[in-house]
Amino acid sequence: MAASNVTLCGICNSQHVSTVANYWCPECDEGLCSQCEIHHSVSKASRQHGIISINDYKKLPAEICKIEQNCRKHERKFQMFCPRHDQLCCLICISENHKECTGMFPIDEAIKSSRTSTLFGSLEKSLKDIMENIERVVKDREANLVEIKQQHLKILNNIKDTRHKINSRLDELEKHMIDNLNSTETQLKLKIETLLNKLSEKKNEIEILMKNLVSVKQHGSDLQAFIGSKILEKDVAEELKYVKNISKDDGFSQLGLKCQIDDKIIDILSNITGIGSIKIEKSKSPIVIGVGHEKQAHFFTAVPPRSKSIDDITASLIGEFSVLAGQFSSCITGLSVFPDGRMIFADYIYNKRLVIVHSDGTLDCEIHCSPLQPFDVTCIDNKTVAVTMFTNNKIVIVDTKSRRVTKTIETGKCRGITHRQGQILYCELEKGIQAINVSNKKKITIVKDETINKNSSYITTSGENIYNTDYGSTVKCYNVNGDKRWEYKDESILSCATGIAVDQHGIVYVISNEITCVVLISEDGKTSRTLLSAKDGITYSYVIHFHSNKLYVVSTSGVIRIFDIA
């Protein structure tokens, strides 16, 4: 029953009498008036109940008021707590729904010390720390907003200044071009006008010759006509010669103006899409988030660690991005995550490179390995990684800051790789699981397994366990001493198993490529089910990674899909 403005006495109300309650009994889950409280406090059945005033009851959060003391389904008092299902149980609940559950404990023992346990003090300290951190972050973010505004104004002025410079330069170029146009037009006009003047003079000369010819023909004597025609013949011959050569005059050509815009200007118009670009500049915040008790687990001593069933797990897509394309099509076969959250990918066979990206998918750097072919990669610290090479029978240690190989370790045919407590563990074909000490290169065989003979065998660790796939239908789990804990095989759900990851509950996530899905295997290796399939965007993949309740599935083409696991 949730607290309200007026709470009635439950006992009186059952007798059809409306009396305002002055007290509340959490175990009876009802209000009590002053008179009924007296009887309640002396009754053998209820004298041990811890009643509180109705005013204190109304101060409790609504969700706390909703906590019931008895099982609503069976009308029995709760007696046990099931950590697997995070539920209070009555005896009938246990017999019906919790027969297989382990770690159940009586709630009476736990609640006796609930008020005096360190949990409340720890929660108060944690909430205080959280509030202090939030206030620090708020101040820092507000300061960042002011800084962004200042940067905005500075960039705006820079854009306008650049535009002004561009305009001034274009005005200069335009003036020069127009002056050149005017000058060229004047030259062409001069050539044509010169020719026109010459032709005008020739027309006058021809008209005179025509008049002379008519005059000689009509009025001259026969001798004058004969001799005159010879003289005129020479003059006409000269004029014919001029007409024939007139096409050689510059003014006779068909002249015109043509504008050829400079290729660089054309490039500006066609290729340049902007004056510049605006990018987000991201750097690590100076604020360090720290909660004093964040690494301490404050549980009631009676409560064992909780396990989780694979049936309870759900996955929802929350993000997607792609690895920066290389010169050729990507073939992503390895992934590891640095302690600072950056991711490094092995882009095998075609591009022969390592690609490092930030957690938001933006590129950090590329490290080219040609002619070596990086197959799988594991982070040793924030700048050092170990990489297996597909065809060269070696593991190389790479400093990602200098992008150089600092150490080479000769091996057999090594494939999947991981790092654990100063050791590099990897799958060596036809031998098994090997371990190399990073500091002295000492090599030992943890698991002798000649069945590891496929090119896409992968390995990971969690706690004291080692897990590996064999690109078949089998997943194996060993302890760090090499003793097999379990082996799971099911061809109906697992086929061409590659990438493998493990969550905090010991549940295993495996890529099954033949069926194009992600398979869950229980922590004891006894049961499995499909979590994600092709309809969830799963395609052929080698790489899978689990971190902070997020599952990263990476296709060979370099598409990273991020799923929230709940």
Side-chain angles (χ1 to χ4, degrees):
M1 181 186 296
S4 61
N5 291 332
V6 177
T7 303
L8 299 178
C9 173
I11 297 174
C12 293
N13 192 51
S14 66
Q15 301 174 67
H16 308 291
V17 177
S18 298
T19 308
V20 176
N22 303 109
Y23 302 93
W24 181 266
C25 178
E27 294 198 40
C28 295
D29 195 27
E30 63 181 1
L32 300 169
C33 65
S34 298
Q35 190 65 35
C36 291
E37 188 274 334
I38 295 173
H39 295 288
H40 183 276
S41 63
V42 296
S43 173
K44 186 176 181 179
S46 59
R47 67 177 63 164
Q48 299 299 325
H49 294 184
I51 64 172
I52 59 175
S53 72
I54 199 68
N55 291 330
D56 289 342
Y57 167 70
K58 291 181 178 180
K59 294 177 182 178
L60 292 173
E63 62 268 25
I64 301 300
C65 294
K66 292 178 182 178
I67 297 175
E68 297 181 348
Q69 305 290 324
N70 299 310
C71 175
R72 179 176 296 180
K73 181 178 180 182
H74 302 114
E75 297 183 351
R76 296 288 188 92
K77 185 177 180 179
F78 289 126
Q79 292 182 300
M80 303 292 288
F81 182 80
C82 176
R84 177 178 179 181
H85 295 95
D86 199 21
Q87 289 181 347
L88 292 168
C89 309
C90 70
L91 293 179
I92 299 178
C93 289
I94 295 172
S95 63
E96 289 183 353
N97 304 314
H98 303 273
K99 291 180 179 179
E100 304 298 326
C101 298
T102 59
M104 298 185 69
F105 60 90
I107 60 173
D108 288 344
E109 294 299 320
I111 64 178
K112 284 180 182 179
S113 60
S114 62
R115 294 181 184 276
T116 58
S117 71
T118 58
L119 179 59
F120 277 106
S122 174
L123 291 175
E124 290 174 354
K125 177 64 169 61
S126 295
L127 289 172
K128 183 180 178 182
D129 288 345
I130 291 170
M131 184 62 71
E132 290 177 353
N133 278 284
I134 289 174
E135 289 174 352
R136 291 170 60 215
V137 171
V138 167
K139 290 180 180 179
D140 179 68
R141 295 301 83 209
E142 288 174 346
N144 196 193
L145 285 174
V146 173
E147 183 182 7
I148 290 171
K149 184 62 177 178
Q150 294 172 346
Q151 292 171 346
H152 174 271
L153 294 174
K154 183 178 179 180
I155 292 172
L156 189 61
N157 291 332
N158 190 21
I159 293 171
K160 291 181 177 179
D161 183 56
T162 302
R163 173 63 183 271
H164 177 72
K165 290 179 180 178
I166 292 173
N167 287 344
S168 297
R169 181 57 178 160
L170 289 175
D171 288 342
E172 292 177 6
L173 295 176
E174 180 186 20
K175 183 177 183 303
H176 181 268
M177 191 76 170
I178 293 173
D179 290 344
N180 190 18
L181 174 63
N182 293 335
S183 174
T184 304
E185 182 192 18
T186 300
Q187 292 178 27
L188 296 182
K189 288 171 63 178
L190 180 61
K191 290 181 179 181
I192 294 174
E193 288 172 351
T194 300
L195 178 59
L196 290 173
N197 291 333
K198 290 180 180 179
L199 293 175
S200 178
E201 293 175 359
K202 285 297 179 183
K203 283 176 65 178
N204 294 331
E205 293 175 2
I206 297 301
E207 288 175 353
I208 292 172
L209 288 176
M210 292 178 68
K211 289 180 181 179
N212 291 338
L213 178 62
V214 171
S215 178
V216 171
K217 183 178 179 180
Q218 292 179 351
H219 306 291
S221 64
D222 292 338
L223 178 62
Q224 288 175 328
F226 175 75
I227 299 300
S229 63
K230 294 296 183 181
I231 295 172
L232 289 171
E233 183 181 20
K234 291 181 181 180
D235 293 336
V236 170
E238 287 294 326
E239 299 304 332
L240 287 173
K241 182 178 178 182
Y242 174 78
V243 170
K244 289 180 180 180
N245 292 327
I246 196 172
S247 61
K248 296 180 181 179
D249 192 291
D250 283 346
F252 183 80
S253 300
Q254 186 64 29
L255 301 178
L257 293 170
K258 182 180 180 180
C259 177
Q260 178 65 49
I261 302 298
D262 192 285
D263 289 342
K264 293 179 180 179
I265 299 296
I266 300 299
D267 288 342
I268 291 175
L269 297 175
S270 60
N271 297 332
I272 297 179
T273 58
I275 296 175
S277 62
I278 305 298
K279 296 182 178 180
I280 296 175
E281 189 177 60
K282 189 175 182 181
S283 61
K284 190 174 182 180
S285 172
I287 297 297
V288 178
I289 303 297
V291 180
H293 291 67
E294 62 185 352
K295 294 186 179 180
Q296 300 180 22
H298 296 276
F299 298 108
F300 298 125
T301 55
V303 181
R306 297 179 181 176
S307 59
K308 192 169 186 177
S309 169
I310 61 174
D311 296 326
D312 299 330
I313 293 178
T314 60
S316 55
L317 183 67
I318 59 173
E320 181 178 308
F321 63 89
S322 298
V323 176
L324 178 71
Q327 184 177 0
F328 307 99
S329 298
S330 295
C331 183
I332 304 299
T333 53
L335 161 65
S336 188
V337 178
F338 290 96
D340 61 11
R342 290 175 301 143
M343 292 176 278
I344 182 168
F345 300 86
D347 190 356
Y348 155 67
I349 198 164
Y350 302 119
N351 293 308
K352 301 180 179 64
R353 61 174 181 159
L354 300 172
V355 184
I356 301 176
V357 303
H358 296 285
S359 57
D360 61 357
T362 57
L363 178 67
D364 184 355
C365 70
E366 291 182 75
I367 302 174
H368 294 279
C369 304
S370 183
L372 301 179
Q373 295 176 315
F375 181 79
D376 199 7
V377 59
T378 186
C379 297
I380 297 174
D381 54 40
N382 258 336
K383 71 170 186 174
T384 311
V385 297
V387 189
T388 56
M389 296 298 171
F390 189 81
T391 57
N392 301 87
N393 297 345
K394 65 176 65 175
I395 293 172
V396 298
I397 309 298
V398 179
D399 185 326
T400 60
K401 295 294 183 182
S402 63
R403 306 182 193 180
R404 294 182 179 276
V405 174
T406 60
K407 189 182 298 184
T408 300
I409 303 171
E410 300 296 329
T411 64
K413 295 179 180 179
C414 50
R415 295 297 180 259
I417 189 172
T418 190
H419 177 262
R420 179 185 182 274
Q421 298 180 5
Q423 282 188 325
I424 296 172
L425 286 76
Y426 64 97
C427 296
E428 185 167 329
L429 300 191
E430 300 177 351
K431 286 190 176 182
I433 298 175
Q434 309 290 321
I436 297 175
N437 189 295
V438 176
S439 59
N440 58 20
K441 295 186 184 181
K442 184 178 179 180
K443 184 191 300 183
I444 61 171
T445 298
I446 295 180
V447 177
K448 186 176 181 181
D449 187 357
E450 295 179 357
T451 64
I452 298 179
N453 55 16
K454 303 292 178 62
N455 282 332
S456 299
S457 300
Y458 283 82
I459 185 173
T460 190
T461 65
S462 177
E464 298 297 306
N465 289 346
I466 303 171
Y467 307 79
N468 84 281
T469 61
D470 64 351
Y471 198 63
S473 56
T474 304
V475 175
K476 298 176 183 178
C477 173
Y478 304 88
N479 65 22
V480 291
N481 296 320
D483 301 318
K484 184 184 288 186
R485 291 192 164 174
W486 53 261
E487 177 176 331
Y488 183 85
K489 184 174 183 178
D490 186 349
E491 295 180 355
S492 67
I493 194 171
L494 272 180
S495 183
C496 298
T498 52
I500 184 168
V502 184
D503 69 14
Q504 68 271 26
H505 301 288
I507 294 173
V508 181
Y509 300 71
V510 186
I511 294 174
S512 179
N513 276 309
E514 188 71 18
I515 307 173
T516 318
C517 65
V518 173
V519 175
L520 291 180
I521 302 176
S522 60
E523 61 175 325
D524 57 7
K526 293 181 179 180
T527 58
S528 69
R529 76 174 180 89
T530 298
L531 176 67
L532 299 166
S533 61
K535 68 180 183 181
D536 300 302
I538 304 302
T539 59
Y540 200 95
S541 308
Y542 287 101
V543 179
I544 191 170
H545 182 77
F546 188 94
H547 179 69
S548 297
N549 291 327
K550 302 293 186 295
L551 186 68
Y552 299 78
V553 183
V554 187
S555 69
T556 54
S557 62
V559 177
I560 299 95
R561 292 179 174 84
I562 307 170
F563 297 87
D564 183 63
I565 302 299

